[in-house]
Amino acid sequence: GVYVVNNNTAFVNLGTDHDTSAFAVESIRRWWNIVGRTTFPSSNRIYINCDGGGSNGWRVRLWKYELAMFAEETGIEIHVSHFPPGTSKWNKVEHRLFCFITKNWAGKPLIDINTTVNLISSTTNKEGLEVKCEVDRNDYPTGIKPDDSQMEAIDIVKCNEMPSWNYIIKGFKKRN
């Protein structure tokens, strides 16, 4: 899911396959194409604050490689900050989105994917949260790991503070 602090909106990409880095970046891509591009038309960068582990973990090669492909296709710089291990519950997406989705579907049987999409999409709160949900039926195979040459091709700038957890991905390095 993507939660936008600026306007209290969210986008959930409801996958039907594995939670991989390719799926995580596809969720960002879909948010950008469906919501972000029209909401922030003059944007030339996206700031992503995410957990330190899982499919978007700071050590996951495929996460960075997929982000580089997204940056390359859109021309947008991707600024990433990871929460340190054990602190992911400080992530605003947990407190401002997923807890309300959980409350909204509490006690309701999730009998099919359409029911799930409708419950997620109808989630709101007293601050006016709006949630858009789309189904992603793509296949996301596990075990894909970019090799060293693919990783070296990524145009990545590490930030001064905690450079493993804070970086900017600009796409791929230009060849001479």
Side-chain angles (χ1 to χ4, degrees):
V2 175
Y3 175 74
V4 182
V5 177
N6 307 43
N7 62 4
N8 198 27
T9 61
F11 177 83
V12 175
N13 188 38
L14 183 61
T16 59
D17 200 46
H18 298 93
D19 179 15
T20 67
S21 296
F23 171 69
V25 174
E26 180 62 19
S27 299
I28 296 164
R29 180 181 286 109
R30 286 174 182 233
W31 168 81
W32 177 250
N33 290 330
I34 294 169
V35 178
R37 185 187 327 220
T38 56
T39 305
F40 305 103
S42 60
S43 181
N44 59 2
R45 66 180 159 238
I46 296 173
Y47 175 68
I48 299 171
N49 194 258
C50 55
D51 292 345
S55 60
N56 55 0
W58 65 275
R59 289 188 272 194
V60 182
R61 300 177 112 189
L62 187 59
W63 163 250
K64 291 175 183 167
Y65 189 79
E66 290 283 341
L67 282 177
M69 289 196 302
F70 175 63
E72 197 71 27
E73 355 172 312
T74 60
I76 296 172
E77 286 184 356
I78 312 297
H79 295 234
V80 180
S81 292
H82 292 275
F83 281 97
T87 63
S88 66
K89 294 305 171 199
W90 290 101
N91 193 336
K92 288 184 183 355
V93 77
E94 300 288 340
H95 301 285
R96 296 187 183 175
L97 173 61
F98 291 128
C99 68
F100 293 106
I101 290 172
T102 302
K103 283 168 76 173
N104 193 44
W105 71 23
K108 296 177 182 126
L110 303 176
I111 56 176
D112 58 30
I113 199 151
N114 289 333
T115 300
T116 306
V117 168
N118 290 335
L119 286 168
I120 292 171
S121 295
S122 66
T123 300
T124 190
N125 63 18
K126 63 184 177 187
E127 286 81 32
L129 172 67
E130 292 180 28
V131 182
K132 180 158 185 59
C133 180
E134 297 279 329
V135 177
D136 182 346
R137 297 187 190 277
N138 290 332
D139 294 327
Y140 295 99
T142 60
I144 298 173
K145 294 179 182 155
D147 62 31
D148 290 344
S149 66
Q150 289 173 303
M151 295 306 292
E152 289 167 10
I154 297 173
D155 187 357
I156 187 168
V157 177
K158 295 189 176 204
C159 300
N160 290 335
E161 293 298 318
M162 304 302 290
S164 294
W165 297 342
N166 299 286
Y167 49 87
I168 301 164
I169 293 181
K170 299 180 179 187
F172 294 100
K173 296 173 185 169
K174 308 301 177 224
R175 295 182 189 190
N176 293 333

